Amino acid sequence: MPGLEDLYREIILDHYRTPRNRGELESPPAIETRGHNPLCGDEITLYLLVDGEGDDAIVSDVKIGGQGCSISQSSASMMTQAVIGKPVSQAYALIRRFKTMMGIEGYDEQPGDADVAMGDLEALQGVVKFPVRIKCAVLGWNTLAEALDRAGV
Ligand code: ZN
């Protein structure tokens, strides 16, 4: 029987080989943000569409462009799956949960964050053991946070 680490490796490789929600959105109306991890050469361009305002705001679409290592690209792919169709407040909660899982200071979980499902993202929890790869894993999340902040809903 394959161990958990093998399963996680399979999930990461699957998202790397077959990235979800790859492409572009017309900008505007989409918000476009870019992230670069010079340590590894990873690049991510993120396109975000938000529907509604305030508490009713929903992440209606996200597309990812760019290139880089398996960790950076698979993390962004899993992220799109986790946030599309979800309330903006839940997308922010996922960002906090993911950064907390990566051991990044200043991203203390808030009440209710633990209820947000991580799904395939759990596969990346082993990255925390490799500090140089943490920047790869959070790159897409930083571009998402910047786009959500700019949406300002
Ligand atoms: Zn990388």
Side-chain angles (χ1 to χ4, degrees), residues 11-16 19-20 42 44 46 62 64 68-83 98-99 101-102 118 120-125 127 133-144:
I11 293 172
I12 290 167
L13 284 176
D14 177 54
H15 277 271
Y16 179 55
R20 318 304 198 265
D42 307 315
I44 283 180
L46 179 138
V62 178
I64 300 284
C69 70
S70 59
I71 300 294
S72 66
Q73 303 301 309
S74 66
S75 181
S77 170
M78 293 179 207
M79 177 185 78
T80 63
Q81 274 196 324
V83 300
F98 189 78
K99 293 209 169 189
M101 186 170 91
M102 289 297 122
M118 293 292 276
D120 283 355
L121 291 162
E122 305 251 2
L124 288 166
Q125 62 185 258
V127 171
R133 309 310 299 278
I134 293 174
K135 281 201 162 63
C136 304
V138 299
L139 181 64
W141 296 83
N142 288 336
T143 61
L144 176 65

